[in-house]
Amino acid sequence: MLADLPISVLAQKLKRSEITSEQLVAECYDRIEAYDGTINSFITVVDRKKAIERAKFIDAHRETFPSPLAGIPYVMKDAYLTKGVRTTAASKILDAFIAPYSSTVHQKLENVGAILIGKMNMDAWGHGASTENTDYGVTKNPWGSDRSAGGSGGGPAAAIASRFCVFGIGEDTGGSIRNPAAWNNITAMKVTYGRVSRYGAIAYASSLDTMGPTAKTAEDCAFVLEAIAGYDAYDATSSQKPVPSYTKALDKSIKGKKIAFPTEFYGDALDPNIKEAILVARDIFVKEGAEVTDVSLPLLEYGVPVYYILAPSETSSNLGRYDGVRYGNGRDLFTKENMRRIMTGTYALSSGYYDAYYKKAQKVRSLFIKEYEKLLSEYDAILSPVTPIMPSKFGELLDDPIKNMMADLYTVIVNIVGLPSLAIPCGFTKDNLPMGMQLVGAMFDESTLFALGNAYQKVTDWHTRSPNLVNS
Amino acid sequence: MKYEPVIGLEIHVELKTKSGMFCGCPADHFAKKPNTGTCPVCLGLPGALPTPNKKAVEWTIMLGLALGSEIAEVSKFDRKHYFYPDLPKGYQISQYDQPLCRGGKISTSFGDVRIHRVHLEEDTGKLQHAVVDGKKVTLVDFNRSGVPLVEIVTEADIHSSEQAKEFLKKLHQIVRYLGISDADMEKGSMRLEPNISIRKVGETGMPPYKVEVKNINSFRFAAAAIEYELKRHEALLNEGKIPVQETRGWDEAKNGTVSQRSKEEAADYRYFPEPDIPPMRFTKDVIASIGSNIPELPDVKKTRFMSAYALNDAVASQLTDTRALADYFEEAVKAASVFEKPYSPKEVANWLINKKPDIEKVLPAQLIEELHEAKKVVAVSADELNAIITPVLSSNEKAVADYKAGKQQVIMFLMGLVRKQLPKADTKIILEALKGALES
């Protein structure tokens, strides 16, 4: 199966004409047709003929597409505008919306010759951690069809785990890239806020939204991030800092790298299976030459309350434009979870409540930033769980809004501060359910995270496992 | 009961930058085909992001400096939420608690009017109510959406419609001097909203209500709306009623104001900092360099004209009405100084005011050339003069008799008759010769 191979190998084989992009793309479509009926990771599959045509074109003009991503099939979370291909954000409000322009990330990938094959399922508007809150049917976890694929980007993660494509582009506001990565046994980079342009990505919470790669390995993520990162004149919050070579950073030695291990993160809220797996990973990092030290990060518990004021506030503003005047369908089609967040945010921003909620949350945000800044001036990375729980069974999170929020315990605080975080597979339970951990780094230091992740993946093989799929 | 008007003004001015406030679309939207100057950003499409227009920010700071405002070291944009079909994002990007400029004033002949704040925002689209295929519809034109808009808010320092009018004219003049807007009210690029209330003479607190009047597109209507409201409020107060706090519109046909929206329907705008645009920071150097582009402003120019050119207030005011006219005058003064017997600035001023040349077509030097031609004195010999005077006197015996009887002003009538035949001769010489002939 070609989609099992790393991007570096695929690129080499394509360059040497050992395989063609046409073959690779066709294989992905065959798998989608065979298995996605059950998994339901796609909202829109790009017309097969069109994708094959594009693959043939790249094959015929390989010399003009020097990128290692040229001819490689990929998917995008359906929050990204793709000119000519429907974009729904998993909401029927945008059921018929075909964007007249492309998001910067999509445009960059098109320019280097990567081939978009699908727009992926998610919680509508990014609201959720299970891809159950979608108007296009839940995405089933390829590792257990009675379980959620995580969210909000469950679609792209399930598709990568199922080898329907080689890589995906996710969007992480409070864990939407990392949570599904952990639950699908894939690797994903939530980038520093401002590292990748947000232009053309449907906004959930503008000050928290980040766009990043999802793939099988840290190495693959480095290839993708190198292609999509950088300043964009269309995004005033994108950083002008030069983009380093992430692929060169992969093989940097991790000897002497200092990893912080916040003890508060490993309390009762955490599933013991995940705790055990991360303790094993900790030992592996030590064996590879890193120093891991117990530290204290007592503000963790305030992450979820702060997030669930800031994100709904911003989303109540961002979703105001879907008022039924312009996009065909009206706001009655927002889901219950959407309405919950819009109402919460509207309340938090109302006069008389603003100071008590939004403003206070912003103040706590400043405290988080200071605390993380201090810790990351002493350490290269923080080792943390991604989710406190194993992939949830359907209904578990949907019926319990508080439990739904708590699934974000370890991820939201990273967005509030704006830090980069690499989610990587770290083991399986007895029931063959995947588990993940995250390495959180200093602002704009994705490179160190790639080096740590790559070092870990060289001596472990969790990331090489893929689920046994059932024909649909 | 004696009342005193308490009036504050809100003025919106569209900036004439090349591009929009947050996108690359043309800011010039007047009389363009609907929805031709739009892009994902000003249409508020999903995923589109605003990037602020540097020139618009600099121009707002420039206006603030011209008004004597304090410029913020840190400023930011905020979202102001409300639903209206001409507002495609469901919020307007504006400034809430950290405007670019605070304070400042404009002096009027009735006293100073303090500026409360000057901030920058984006304009909305425009609704057009029309009938299409027999159906009454409302159409939206987004060409104006996202055009840079400066809002100037005064303190409630204005106490008459005349003062309001004078203030507005001065502000209009300053904006035009700075060259940041055409401030053309008929095109809607300057929009006026007075906030009006009255209180008993002797009271100093703010009245317990205010009425905002919108849709005013001339200084005259602004004054008329204020007058209308003052009378209405007085009548209500005299009946023991407090006028309703509301928004009213100026109705040209009715020559009065009509109620539009009362306070009960007032919106909670849920302002919060615009997360898509990082806060702006301005160093003293940056502010100083923006300030260095401010031209000489009308009041200063007028005072200088009065002292440097020995002009009176009225003439100096007239000449400094626009920067272009003032510059024209100064060029003309220069041109007039090259003659052997230079024309005084006062002569130039009078000539310019009387002649009203099209200053875009007639060069200042040309105008002075005309002046010079007109003033040219033709030398006339005594014989020539007498050859004209003698027949004039003999055919106007009554006038001559009157003069001799002591009616000396008659000489001007005779003078006119001579002048007709000698249009370019020196007046003094004609007068001398006439006197000589009459008294001989």
Side-chain angles (χ1 to χ4, degrees):
Chain A
M1 183 173 26
L2 291 172
D4 241 350
L5 298 170
I7 289 173
S8 58
V9 173
L10 287 171
Q12 207 171 44
K13 284 183 181 294
L14 286 165
K15 199 174 165 192
R16 291 181 187 153
S17 301
E18 291 167 24
I19 58 166
T20 63
S21 173
E22 186 188 351
Q23 248 178 297
L24 176 57
V25 171
E27 194 195 84
C28 288
Y29 272 94
D30 289 345
R31 290 184 63 79
I32 294 165
E33 283 156 21
Y35 303 115
D36 197 52
T38 316
I39 292 170
N40 193 37
S41 64
F42 286 76
I43 288 178
T44 304
V45 181
V46 172
D47 181 55
R48 179 172 180 147
K49 269 191 213 138
K50 274 191 190 153
I52 293 286
E53 238 168 63
R54 179 73 179 155
K56 280 182 176 167
F57 180 84
I58 303 282
D59 283 333
H61 300 86
R62 185 142 290 281
E63 66 290 348
T64 57
F65 293 97
S67 164
L69 302 183
I72 305 275
Y74 75 103
V75 298
M76 296 187 102
K77 188 178 179 181
D78 209 17
Y80 285 89
L81 267 64
T82 45
K83 191 175 174 177
V85 179
R86 180 173 75 147
T87 302
T88 67
S91 171
K92 288 283 180 190
I93 292 175
L94 291 184
D95 195 40
F97 178 62
I98 295 179
Y101 77 102
S102 275
S103 52
T104 299
V105 170
H106 177 233
Q107 196 56 57
K108 281 187 163 184
L109 290 170
E110 284 296 295
N111 293 348
V112 301
I115 297 167
L116 179 74
I117 61 170
K119 302 294 294 294
M120 312 310 286
N121 208 352
M122 57 187 279
D123 290 294
W125 310 104
H127 297 174
S130 65
T131 315
E132 288 169 277
N133 178 38
T134 161
D135 290 343
Y136 294 87
V138 300
T139 295
K140 288 183 180 157
N141 194 312
W143 296 92
S145 62
D146 58 340
R147 290 178 187 267
S148 150
S152 63
I160 291 160
S162 307
R163 309 301 189 242
F164 293 155
C165 59
V166 176
F167 69 91
I169 301 295
E171 181 271 307
D172 193 312
T173 305
S176 293
I177 280 180
R178 290 161 289 157
N179 160 310
W183 287 5
N184 287 278
N185 196 47
I186 66 161
T187 306
M189 174 64 90
K190 180 263 170 218
V191 299
T192 307
Y193 186 79
R195 180 72 294 177
V196 176
S197 169
R198 293 185 293 120
Y199 189 71
I202 294 179
Y204 161 18
S206 314
S207 76
L208 305 165
D209 292 347
T210 54
M211 315 302 144
T214 57
K216 296 182 291 289
T217 61
E219 186 192 278
D220 281 6
C221 286
F223 274 103
V224 179
L225 184 57
E226 222 162 271
I228 63 172
Y231 173 70
D232 180 6
Y234 285 95
D235 177 359
T237 62
S238 69
S239 170
Q240 305 218 23
K241 271 187 208 293
V243 178
S245 170
Y246 298 119
T247 45
K248 277 188 190 142
L250 284 165
D251 289 321
K252 286 220 172 113
S253 165
I254 67 158
K255 286 218 160 54
K257 289 284 176 204
K258 296 173 79 178
I259 299 175
F261 194 84
T263 47
E264 290 89 348
F265 287 27
Y266 297 89
D268 293 344
L270 182 62
D271 185 289
N273 287 301
I274 300 173
K275 183 175 174 178
E276 202 177 308
I278 298 180
L279 286 172
V280 173
R282 174 184 171 143
D283 291 341
I284 292 172
F285 281 116
V286 172
K287 209 183 282 167
E288 293 305 303
E291 294 168 25
V292 185
T293 314
D294 285 352
V295 299
S296 176
L297 258 180
L299 287 179
L300 176 73
E301 61 174 311
Y302 299 103
V304 166
V306 166
Y307 176 83
Y308 278 99
I309 288 171
L310 295 181
S313 295
E314 292 185 20
T315 216
S316 75
S317 170
N318 286 328
L319 299 185
R321 70 191 66 186
Y322 307 107
D323 54 9
V325 175
R326 280 165 296 266
Y327 302 101
N329 292 322
R331 45 190 157 187
D332 51 313
L333 292 181
F334 279 123
T335 66
K336 270 195 179 151
E337 182 63 25
N338 299 149
M339 291 189 195
R340 201 150 32 226
R341 296 194 192 195
I342 292 168
M343 298 279 282
T344 309
T346 304
Y347 183 83
L349 291 177
S350 298
S351 81
Y353 300 98
Y354 180 84
D355 287 352
Y357 295 104
Y358 186 82
K359 209 165 183 183
K360 196 176 228 173
Q362 285 290 24
K363 281 184 186 158
V364 182
R365 183 180 205 168
S366 303
L367 288 181
F368 289 160
I369 291 170
K370 269 188 209 145
E371 192 170 279
Y372 271 86
E373 235 170 37
K374 186 167 167 278
L375 189 66
L376 287 163
S377 66
E378 296 162 23
Y379 294 89
D380 296 297
I382 301 164
L383 181 58
S384 157
V386 175
T387 58
I389 52 172
M390 297 305 298
S392 61
K393 292 205 165 165
F394 289 117
E396 242 181 287
L397 296 184
L398 203 58
D399 300 338
D400 187 344
I402 298 293
K403 196 169 182 187
N404 194 23
M405 288 184 194
M406 291 314 289
D408 300 337
L409 177 65
Y410 299 112
T411 47
V412 289
I413 201 159
V414 177
N415 297 74
I416 294 168
V417 180
L419 302 169
S421 169
L422 182 69
I424 35 181
C426 67
F428 285 83
T429 61
K430 296 192 295 289
D431 311 329
N432 205 34
L433 287 173
M435 293 178 287
M437 61 182 175
Q438 58 178 332
L439 289 156
V440 178
M443 292 295 275
F444 296 100
D445 192 13
E446 283 81 0
S447 294
T448 297
L449 303 182
F450 279 131
L452 287 167
N454 191 46
Y456 176 83
Q457 290 184 326
K458 273 187 174 165
V459 294
T460 56
D461 66 354
W462 311 118
H463 58 280
T464 63
R465 299 195 192 178
S466 60
N468 293 317
L469 301 182
V470 188
N471 264 314
S472 48
Chain B
M1 192 77 69
K2 268 274 198 190
Y3 294 100
E4 170 190 45
V6 180
I7 302 162
L9 294 167
E10 282 175 39
I11 303 102
H12 284 94
V13 175
E14 276 184 354
L15 297 179
K16 59 170 183 187
T17 48
K18 274 206 187 74
S19 57
M21 186 57 237
F22 299 112
C23 66
C25 290
D28 180 14
H29 59 86
F30 189 74
K32 298 275 156 68
K33 193 168 177 262
N35 298 308
T36 51
T38 61
C39 74
V41 177
C42 53
L43 288 174
L45 290 188
L49 297 172
T51 46
N53 183 328
K54 198 176 163 207
K55 189 108 230 161
V57 173
E58 288 176 358
W59 281 1
T60 306
I61 291 176
M62 197 199 267
L63 175 60
L65 290 171
L67 297 174
S69 310
E70 194 176 313
I71 308 304
E73 278 172 40
V74 182
S75 182
K76 64 175 170 69
F77 287 101
D78 298 274
R79 291 185 182 179
K80 176 183 180 179
H81 300 85
Y82 63 93
F83 285 107
Y84 209 66
D86 65 8
L87 190 68
K89 297 188 294 295
Y91 57 84
Q92 177 190 32
I93 305 177
S94 180
Q95 296 196 277
Y96 182 50
D97 54 353
Q98 287 176 266
L100 284 165
C101 323
R102 276 183 203 276
K105 63 166 190 185
I106 288 181
S107 302
T108 70
S109 51
F110 303 88
D112 287 352
V113 176
R114 289 169 300 156
I115 305 293
H116 175 58
R117 56 184 278 163
V118 178
H119 75 248
L120 186 55
E121 58 190 29
E122 57 179 338
D123 212 341
T124 62
K126 243 182 187 169
L127 296 184
Q128 286 175 20
H129 306 288
V131 177
V132 174
D133 298 333
K135 260 201 209 154
K136 274 191 181 174
V137 295
T138 299
L139 305 170
V140 197
D141 174 9
F142 287 108
N143 282 350
R144 198 180 69 175
S145 172
V147 168
L149 196 62
V150 168
E151 182 173 331
I152 302 119
V153 182
T154 75
E155 300 290 355
D157 285 351
I158 297 168
H159 300 297
S160 68
S161 59
E162 296 83 22
Q163 190 182 12
K165 203 165 156 186
E166 187 181 331
F167 172 89
L168 290 169
K169 279 187 168 171
K170 282 201 148 184
L171 177 65
H172 181 256
Q173 196 183 24
I174 290 169
V175 165
R176 306 244 316 174
Y177 258 65
L178 296 175
I180 60 177
S181 172
D182 293 329
D184 186 329
M185 274 175 295
E186 286 191 2
K187 291 182 182 172
S189 51
M190 181 166 172
R191 311 200 277 266
L192 321 173
E193 286 160 27
N195 282 285
I196 307 156
S197 47
I198 61 177
R199 68 181 166 213
K200 283 180 199 155
V201 170
E203 281 179 0
T204 51
M206 287 303 287
Y209 76 95
K210 67 176 184 189
V211 173
E212 186 179 352
V213 185
K214 288 181 182 283
N215 308 339
I216 296 176
N217 64 359
S218 82
F219 299 136
R220 195 161 58 83
F221 291 156
I226 289 170
E227 285 299 327
Y228 183 91
E229 280 301 302
L230 294 179
K231 284 202 190 87
R232 197 175 66 84
H233 298 187
E234 197 173 331
L236 285 167
L237 286 167
N238 283 340
E239 285 171 35
K241 292 177 190 157
I242 292 177
V244 180
Q245 172 132 338
E246 61 181 345
T247 300
R248 298 175 74 88
W250 174 252
D251 185 334
E252 214 179 312
K254 195 188 144 197
N255 202 28
T257 66
V258 287
S259 181
Q260 286 184 331
R261 183 152 48 90
S262 74
K263 196 196 172 190
E264 282 75 10
E265 297 158 57
D268 175 355
Y269 293 124
R270 307 196 315 281
Y271 281 103
F272 82 101
E274 167 56 276
D276 288 331
I277 305 172
M280 301 170 280
R281 289 185 168 76
F282 306 100
T283 61
K284 293 215 160 60
D285 288 350
V286 166
I287 295 168
S289 105
I290 294 169
S292 69
N293 293 323
I294 295 180
E296 187 181 29
L297 293 170
D299 277 354
V300 177
K301 204 183 271 289
K302 190 181 94 178
T303 312
R304 178 168 67 81
F305 274 25
M306 287 168 70
S307 65
Y309 302 123
L311 303 175
N312 66 27
D313 191 301
V315 170
S317 288
Q318 238 176 315
L319 292 176
T320 54
D321 183 35
T322 67
R323 211 168 116 193
L325 182 61
D327 289 349
Y328 188 94
F329 168 70
E330 294 204 285
E331 282 299 310
V333 168
K334 260 188 225 157
S337 68
V338 302
F339 295 99
E340 204 178 315
K341 258 183 74 191
Y343 298 98
S344 74
K346 205 169 169 181
E347 282 175 282
V348 175
N350 289 336
W351 185 257
L352 178 55
I353 288 168
N354 290 331
K355 286 287 156 184
K356 293 192 186 75
D358 181 344
I359 62 170
E360 299 210 338
K361 285 186 185 141
V362 182
L363 290 171
Q366 273 175 278
L367 182 82
I368 294 306
E369 208 43 59
E370 285 170 26
L371 168 70
H372 184 60
E373 275 305 311
K375 294 260 164 128
K376 215 177 237 170
V377 180
V378 176
V380 195
S381 70
D383 288 350
E384 265 181 278
L385 209 47
N386 283 330
I388 292 165
I389 289 174
T390 311
V392 165
L393 294 189
S394 53
S395 53
N396 287 287
E397 280 173 11
K398 186 173 181 299
V400 173
D402 285 352
Y403 180 84
K404 286 188 172 162
K407 275 195 169 179
Q408 298 221 339
Q409 64 270 35
V410 172
I411 198 167
M412 293 318 287
F413 164 72
L414 297 168
M415 165 86 195
L417 295 173
V418 178
R419 159 74 71 211
K420 251 187 205 161
Q421 297 178 56
L422 284 171
K424 289 194 172 171
D426 190 341
T427 310
K428 250 188 200 161
I429 293 172
I430 302 176
L431 214 56
E432 292 293 311
L434 252 179
K435 273 186 189 166
L438 283 165
E439 282 157 22
S440 63

